[in-house]
Amino acid sequence: MIIDSNVIGEPTGFFLIPTNFPRLAMLRSFHQTANMMQEFDENGWAHIHQATFRGYIKSIERFVESDHEQLELETQDDLHSTPLLLAITSGSVQTVDCLLKLGAKIDTINSQNHGAVEISALHQFISLLQYFIDKNHEKLPVWKNLIKLLSSDIENEVENAGRCLRTLTNPSSEGVNPNWQNITSNGGIPVIVKVAKNSVNEESKFPAFQTLINILDVDDVQELLVSSGGIPAFIKLLKSQNSYAVQLAAEILKHLARKPDYAEIESQNQVIPCLLKVMQSFHDPEVLVQAVEAMGNIAEAGPHHQRAIGSAQGCIATIVTLFEKNYPLLSHTLVDAVSKIVKGDKDNQITFVDEGVTIQIMQVIMSQSRNRELQLSAVQAIHCLAEDNTHTQKDILDKGAERLLMQLLKKSRAEKLQENTALALWALAGDDLEEQREMANGIGVGMLIEFLNTVSENLHFIASEALGVLAQGPVNQQTQISQANGIHPLVRQLKSNKDYIGLSVIRTLRYLCVAVGNVPHHKNQMTISSSQGVKYLVALMVHSANEMIRVEAAVTLGHVSMGNKVILNEIHRYPDFSCVRILRMMYSQDNTVRLLAGSALAAFAYNNVMQQKEIAEQGGVRFASFIPFLMSDDEYFRCEAAYQIVILARIIPDEEQAKSSAAGIKLIVDLLENSTSDTILMLACDCIARLAHTRAGVPAAILAINAVDHLCRLLLSKAEQVRGCAAIALGYLSYNHRGERELLNKCRSDPYLMQEIKYFTKHHKLSPAFIEGWLHYKRVGLPAIPEGRTSLIRVKPDKDDSRPMTILSFDGTGNGSNIRSSASNLIGEDGQILTSRSRSSQMSNHAPSLNNSHLSA
């Protein structure tokens, strides 16, 4: 056919239809060429097939207008494709839309049983698939056909269907793609599990697995996956030699392991040894990241999973070895996994530390100074390794982690990193009061007070605990804390809605008010009052729903007002305050509350006859209330109760004052002689110091049972707190003539004892007569102090010594770990004090079980 070059038209396969033809001529032309359009070329295609494949929409419309049957005209090749299927094969949405509007059948298929969805999927025409999805034609179920194609045994069909599903389920900016519902409602999850199990090439399966990962955060998807047998199928894939197959399988198992029930199923299907084999066999960081993260999530699911990981031969050693690869993403995953595996599991903590993980984590912190997120995870790992484990604490401290963490704390101003570093440091301090003081000193009073002004509750708690430690003991920082304006932010924390913070602050304020031997710090007391601390404490004592807070507030009020008439009068001006409230707590169901109520009464009654009279007028206390504590297996209970009955002896109506005082003093001195706990020894020395300057006769009773000998022996203790409290107690006893004489003789025999006494009594009292006698001895001549005993630097425990517990660690639950002291010799079965002065039986060598419930000491 000859074509005029001046005629404008659209190609229609073999010819052009000029657009400037008259209509009659055009119709004549159509009729003349009707037979020509039915002709097929050597490939079996007619003109309409060429037009649809090439997207010549106007020609298509004219062909169909001349003969509507051409819409379904099939090619005479092997595929027998209709114009619609050819338009789909070419990928033209416009051509497909034109044909459908002209009336083409949407559900037509070719000789390979491929229709619109299958052809679009095989050619990866996502826009066409989305067009059909949006059209939502009942005869063309797109999702069902895609998933059917995915279930094929032909690799090409499996791979291409998976790739389309992966694209259609890619996460959106708002999270999981909503198309997950179309996958699940059309049976897609069981099909993906079938793909994991079938024998097609592994590379063909990857898009299906990636589709699953796209939607795996949805609970319904996880449930369908597990119920379809997905867990054993993907655990089996961990044994593949293909690294990407292993990576995808581990990633899927990692997601599922976030739920304890699914982690349990994985564990039952031997996922731990399979993941361990992956970590030992593969070197690709991407594979290792997924395997390690899966292991960490399994550990997080429960303690028995942690134990299973710890008991898997070589597992922990393998994880530690992986740190050597020094790949940042893997390092991050490793430190997170360590945290999860060791958290609360002492055996795993010890194994990791013994395998050398401490140095590896420290190197991560040092080498990733610009990666704050990774540093944060590494610090958290140290915290988890050190928590409640003296063995790991010592190892980590010996490796120098404390210095590294201190540097990080001082340099960083990122609150989250500061918070976690402070938590790690405090965990490293453990229950050792000496170590806690060192940590608190290292952080510094200024920074601790800054912590109180942040929004972090963890920092509030650490600051309160650390300031409380610094405020205690013979060498304390009560004045420094006050001068740094630390009391005001502490008082503000009394309004915290977290009971654990409130309790800590209440106790810290108590320590700031009174030193060893019940020596009041008047300035701090007045600062608490001017900050409305007394008001808040009274409110907590009266209105708190927590019984422990009520009784602790009462104890602190007793200390805030000790030796301070102004504050005592302020307390009594509050109409809600009454000693009756404290007396009622003496009958609580909680042993600790009853003991603390006794401490509160003793604090108000200490050297205050008027307060003793008021307590007596409001009912007083009965000796029977103290008997369970005096006969307790718990040394802390015995010591506190013994001190209380001496202070309250005048207002205990059902027992003679002399007998109750003698019983209490003897119990305390027996603890000085027999206890092996530094905490109890420190408390007993403090009690002696308090009692030594109360009423007449008490110091003499203390001296009568060899207290000076025991206290002088304790001046040689390795624990600074014990030495200091013993020195202060001896200082007060030196005001008694017998005590002065005994102490002078001891110091003359061993002048080092005098060095200790002088060092710790700088802010306390030594009798002038004792000082004069000592000066006389110096003039006469003293033996030389042996070399090596002249240092006043505190002595740390030997490697084999257990860490002494701290006064912030009391439990007081009476767990039966100690043999009863001489209370059984002093108190008969009827609760009456016996007159026998026989020595008590030897006490147990075991220290009491202590924790944070007795911060009141």
Side-chain angles (χ1 to χ4, degrees):
M1 182 177 182
I2 300 174
I3 302 174
D4 185 351
S5 61
N6 295 320
V7 177
I8 301 173
E10 180 186 62
T12 61
F14 299 127
F15 56 88
L16 292 177
I17 299 177
T19 57
N20 58 352
F21 270 18
R23 179 166 179 76
L24 181 60
M26 185 178 293
L27 289 174
R28 187 180 298 114
S29 175
F30 281 156
H31 288 299
Q32 290 174 351
T33 59
N35 293 330
M36 291 179 61
M37 288 187 292
Q38 297 291 340
E39 294 178 359
F40 295 88
D41 64 12
E42 67 275 11
N43 295 319
W45 284 25
H47 298 303
I48 192 167
H49 298 138
Q50 297 285 357
T52 53
F53 186 74
R54 288 172 170 78
Y56 301 153
I57 293 175
K58 290 184 180 180
S59 295
I60 295 168
E61 290 172 345
R62 289 165 186 161
F63 286 149
V64 173
E65 184 177 352
S66 67
D67 184 1
H68 194 272
E69 290 183 0
Q70 290 192 80
L71 272 176
E72 304 302 329
L73 181 64
E74 295 182 357
T75 60
Q76 292 185 352
D77 56 11
D78 293 339
L79 293 177
H80 294 283
S81 300
T82 65
L84 176 64
L85 297 181
L86 288 173
I88 294 169
T89 304
S90 71
S92 173
V93 175
Q94 292 84 357
T95 306
V96 170
D97 187 62
C98 170
L99 289 166
L100 290 176
K101 287 178 179 177
L102 291 172
K105 293 180 181 179
I106 197 171
D107 58 344
T108 185
I109 59 174
N110 62 21
S111 60
Q112 293 181 339
N113 207 29
H114 289 165
V117 172
E118 291 79 8
I119 294 172
S120 298
L122 290 171
H123 288 83
Q124 292 298 294
F125 293 147
I126 304 300
S127 58
L128 265 176
L129 285 172
Q130 192 61 57
Y131 168 81
F132 291 127
I133 290 169
D134 295 339
K135 202 163 189 64
N136 195 24
H137 198 288
E138 61 180 7
K139 290 187 177 181
L140 191 68
V142 178
W143 294 101
K144 182 178 179 180
N145 290 355
L146 270 176
I147 291 167
K148 183 179 178 181
L149 189 67
L150 183 67
S151 66
S152 170
D153 292 329
I154 301 173
E155 292 174 356
N156 182 51
E157 293 182 350
V158 173
E159 181 176 1
N160 283 292
R163 290 170 65 188
C164 291
L165 289 169
R166 177 187 64 194
T167 303
L168 290 169
T169 57
N170 276 336
S172 65
S173 58
E174 298 177 356
V176 179
N177 193 304
N179 281 332
W180 70 265
Q181 297 180 7
N182 296 310
I183 301 286
T184 56
S185 61
N186 287 280
I189 304 305
V191 169
I192 293 175
V193 174
K194 177 188 173 184
V195 170
K197 295 177 180 179
N198 70 21
S199 58
V200 298
N201 184 283
E202 285 186 335
E203 283 80 0
S204 302
K205 303 177 181 181
F206 295 163
F209 299 162
Q210 292 164 335
T211 300
L212 179 61
I213 291 169
N214 282 346
I215 61 177
L216 198 51
D217 284 336
V218 179
D219 290 344
D220 290 351
V221 174
Q222 294 179 10
E223 186 176 344
L224 283 169
L225 179 60
V226 174
S227 63
S228 302
I231 287 178
F234 286 105
I235 289 176
K236 185 176 180 180
L237 271 176
L238 291 176
K239 301 175 183 178
S240 170
Q241 298 303 309
N242 187 302
S243 62
Y244 195 55
V246 174
Q247 177 184 333
L248 292 174
E251 187 171 359
I252 290 166
L253 293 167
K254 171 193 75 176
H255 279 282
L256 291 175
R258 291 172 182 166
K259 288 191 176 180
D261 291 345
Y262 301 154
E264 180 64 34
I265 297 172
E266 289 184 11
S267 183
Q268 291 172 0
N269 282 274
Q270 301 301 308
V271 72
I272 293 173
C274 290
L275 288 171
L276 175 58
K277 185 68 175 176
V278 169
M279 290 188 287
Q280 293 172 337
S281 305
F282 287 86
H283 303 287
D284 185 346
E286 299 293 337
V287 177
L288 294 172
V289 163
Q290 299 302 330
V292 172
E293 199 167 342
M295 191 78 83
N297 288 352
I298 291 167
E300 195 174 29
H304 60 293
H305 296 305
Q306 290 176 300
R307 290 192 293 272
I309 292 171
S311 60
Q313 187 173 3
C315 185
I316 290 177
T318 299
I319 293 172
V320 175
T321 303
L322 291 178
F323 275 97
E324 297 173 3
K325 295 187 178 295
N326 199 27
Y327 179 64
L329 184 58
L330 178 58
S331 297
H332 200 158
T333 303
L334 285 167
V335 292
D336 284 344
V338 169
S339 297
K340 294 173 181 178
I341 295 170
V342 305
K343 190 171 180 62
D345 189 305
K346 292 193 174 183
D347 290 337
N348 286 355
Q349 289 171 331
I350 292 170
T351 306
F352 263 110
V353 163
D354 290 348
E355 290 290 345
V357 79
T358 302
I359 293 296
Q360 299 291 353
I361 294 176
M362 289 173 63
Q363 287 177 348
V364 169
I365 295 175
M366 291 185 290
S367 63
Q368 299 296 327
S369 59
R370 295 185 179 181
N371 190 337
R372 290 302 187 194
E373 188 177 351
L374 180 50
Q375 281 192 326
L376 176 61
S377 294
V379 169
Q380 288 172 332
I382 290 179
H383 177 197
C384 293
L385 283 164
E387 197 167 25
D388 299 324
N389 192 318
T390 55
H391 176 89
T392 57
Q393 288 161 10
K394 185 177 186 308
D395 178 89
I396 296 169
L397 289 170
D398 289 345
K399 297 290 193 303
E402 176 188 356
R403 292 188 296 276
L404 179 62
L405 292 174
M406 283 292 183
Q407 291 173 4
L408 192 61
L409 183 68
K410 300 295 175 64
K411 289 180 180 178
S412 173
R413 282 297 174 263
E415 187 170 304
K416 192 65 180 176
L417 184 56
Q418 269 198 336
E419 176 182 344
N420 283 274
T421 306
L423 284 169
L425 284 167
W426 203 245
L428 284 172
D431 291 331
D432 184 351
L433 184 57
E434 302 288 347
E435 204 65 67
Q436 287 181 340
R437 289 175 69 84
E438 189 169 315
M439 286 295 181
N441 276 315
I443 297 172
V445 170
M447 179 164 279
L448 290 171
I449 294 171
E450 285 181 24
F451 288 172
L452 291 171
N453 295 318
T454 66
V455 297
S456 167
E457 291 176 343
N458 283 329
L459 289 179
H460 296 165
F461 179 71
I462 290 172
S464 176
E465 291 287 287
L467 290 171
V469 169
L470 294 176
Q472 294 179 71
V475 180
N476 60 61
Q477 297 187 36
Q478 291 175 329
T479 301
Q480 292 91 321
I481 294 169
S482 176
Q483 290 174 345
N485 197 29
I487 292 179
H488 296 286
L490 279 168
V491 171
R492 284 199 303 271
Q493 292 301 326
L494 288 174
K495 295 184 284 186
S496 172
N497 58 1
K498 294 292 188 293
D499 285 354
Y500 70 94
I501 295 176
L503 281 169
S504 177
V505 171
I506 289 169
R507 293 158 182 159
T508 297
L509 291 173
R510 176 156 76 243
Y511 305 140
L512 284 166
C513 290
V514 177
V516 174
N518 276 354
V519 177
H521 194 295
H522 290 285
K523 183 177 179 180
N524 286 359
Q525 290 174 327
M526 297 308 297
T527 304
I528 291 172
S529 174
S530 64
S531 303
Q532 294 191 310
V534 172
K535 174 185 175 181
Y536 293 138
L537 288 168
V538 172
L540 289 170
M541 171 187 160
V542 175
H543 301 296
S544 176
N546 187 320
E547 188 179 36
M548 188 62 69
I549 287 182
R550 293 201 301 272
V551 72
E552 290 277 13
V555 178
T556 298
L557 282 169
H559 285 76
V560 172
S561 62
M562 188 174 289
N564 195 316
K565 291 184 179 180
V566 174
I567 294 180
L568 188 60
N569 291 335
E570 179 188 353
I571 292 172
H572 282 285
R573 281 197 296 271
Y574 290 99
D576 288 338
F577 176 83
S578 172
C579 289
V580 173
R581 294 183 182 274
I582 305 174
L583 288 167
R584 287 174 183 166
M585 288 189 276
M586 290 287 292
Y587 300 96
S588 169
Q589 296 296 314
D590 188 322
N591 288 339
T592 305
V593 171
R594 297 208 313 273
L595 187 73
L596 289 171
S599 295
L601 292 172
F604 278 107
Y606 185 78
N607 286 350
N608 192 320
V609 177
M610 294 300 295
Q611 281 295 109
Q612 293 175 19
K613 182 179 179 182
E614 181 178 343
I615 295 170
E617 288 174 349
Q618 292 181 355
V621 289
R622 298 292 183 269
F623 189 78
S625 301
F626 299 98
I627 290 176
F629 301 115
L630 296 171
M631 300 185 69
S632 171
D633 291 331
D634 191 307
E635 291 180 331
Y636 171 75
F637 276 19
R638 291 204 302 278
C639 190
E640 277 289 341
Y643 167 75
Q644 291 169 20
I645 62 173
V646 179
I647 297 298
L648 300 172
R650 290 177 173 174
I651 56 173
I652 298 177
D654 56 339
E655 189 55 73
E656 293 181 17
Q657 176 182 338
K659 287 185 178 181
S660 58
S661 296
I665 291 168
K666 187 173 190 307
L667 280 171
I668 295 171
V669 174
D670 282 343
L671 287 171
L672 287 179
E673 180 182 3
N674 299 308
S675 180
T676 59
S677 165
D678 287 338
T679 301
I680 298 302
L681 291 172
M682 183 177 74
L683 178 60
C685 291
D686 191 7
C687 288
I688 294 293
R690 300 176 207 167
L691 294 175
H693 59 109
T694 53
R695 59 184 182 272
V698 171
I702 295 171
L703 292 166
I705 48 178
N706 302 321
V708 170
D709 289 344
H710 304 317
L711 290 169
C712 286
R713 175 177 55 82
L714 294 178
L715 286 176
L716 305 178
S717 169
K718 294 178 181 179
E720 182 184 49
Q721 300 291 333
V722 175
R723 299 200 308 275
C725 289
I728 293 169
L730 287 167
Y732 285 116
L733 289 174
S734 70
Y735 281 82
N736 180 280
H737 182 61
R738 176 176 175 175
E740 171 204 335
R741 187 172 63 252
E742 290 183 5
L743 186 55
L744 275 171
N745 288 335
K746 290 285 185 182
C747 291
R748 184 180 185 182
S749 301
D750 187 354
Y752 175 75
L753 299 180
M754 187 60 185
Q755 274 197 348
E756 289 286 331
I757 293 171
K758 288 170 64 178
Y759 176 76
F760 288 109
T761 56
K762 294 174 184 176
H763 306 291
H764 294 266
K765 292 184 177 180
L766 277 171
S767 118
F770 171 76
I771 295 173
E772 185 179 341
W774 172 251
L775 293 174
H776 171 72
Y777 282 152
K778 286 185 70 175
R779 287 192 295 269
V780 172
L782 295 168
I785 299 175
E787 185 178 352
R789 294 185 62 191
T790 58
S791 175
L792 291 176
I793 298 175
R794 72 179 181 90
V795 180
K796 286 191 174 182
D798 292 335
K799 290 183 178 180
D800 297 332
D801 291 345
S802 61
R803 291 174 179 266
M805 295 183 186
T806 158
I807 208 165
L808 291 177
S809 312
F810 290 139
D811 180 354
T813 56
N815 61 0
S817 63
N818 301 303
I819 301 173
R820 290 177 182 165
S821 76
S822 56
S824 58
N825 295 329
L826 297 172
I827 303 171
E829 294 179 359
D830 58 356
Q832 297 298 312
I833 295 181
L834 304 178
T835 57
S836 170
R837 293 182 176 270
S838 60
R839 299 298 298 169
S840 65
S841 60
Q842 290 296 314
M843 296 173 52
S844 166
N845 287 328
H846 299 290
S849 173
L850 306 174
N851 62 28
N852 285 335
S853 64
H854 282 174
L855 300 175
S856 61

